[in-house]
Amino acid sequence: MADLKVGKIIHYYDKIGVAVLELNEDLAVGDTIRISGHGNEFTQKVESIQVEHEAINEAKGGQTVGLKVVQEVREGDEVYKVNP
């Protein structure tokens, strides 16, 4: 089964390792995601999602969320849910 594109990175805070993600599909803590773009690609588990500095367990398509990432990302990188 193909990975489901859930959104794209619209900003990255390098000092705290947090990406701002614009979602077009639902995403939940515990999901495994793959971030791909600019010649870089990695997979990680979603450990926390925040909206307006408040931790949430699940975000809906259409929301913009903060996501802790394990590697540097760039604006425009695409985010996929692995084996949804």
Side-chain angles (χ1 to χ4, degrees):
M1 182 181 249
D3 294 344
L4 173 70
K5 182 176 175 186
V6 294
K8 68 176 180 177
I9 305 297
I10 58 171
H11 192 74
Y12 176 63
Y13 295 97
D14 58 346
K15 288 187 177 11
I16 56 174
V18 170
V20 179
L21 173 59
E22 195 172 73
L23 292 174
N24 53 17
E25 297 288 341
D26 296 353
L27 186 66
V29 170
D31 287 343
T32 299
I33 58 171
R34 176 171 51 87
I35 300 177
S36 179
H38 299 90
N40 189 25
E41 182 172 288
F42 64 95
T43 302
Q44 74 169 65
K45 190 170 213 161
V46 176
E47 301 288 344
S48 70
I49 302 172
Q50 289 193 346
V51 174
E52 302 289 329
H53 305 288
E54 295 287 326
I56 60 172
N57 287 324
E58 187 174 1
K60 302 288 184 197
Q63 284 186 291
T64 300
V65 300
L67 189 68
K68 187 80 169 161
V69 290
V70 297
Q71 289 186 27
E72 186 173 329
V73 296
R74 293 187 182 167
E75 290 180 23
D77 286 358
E78 296 186 335
V79 182
Y80 299 87
K81 193 183 301 185
V82 178
N83 298 324

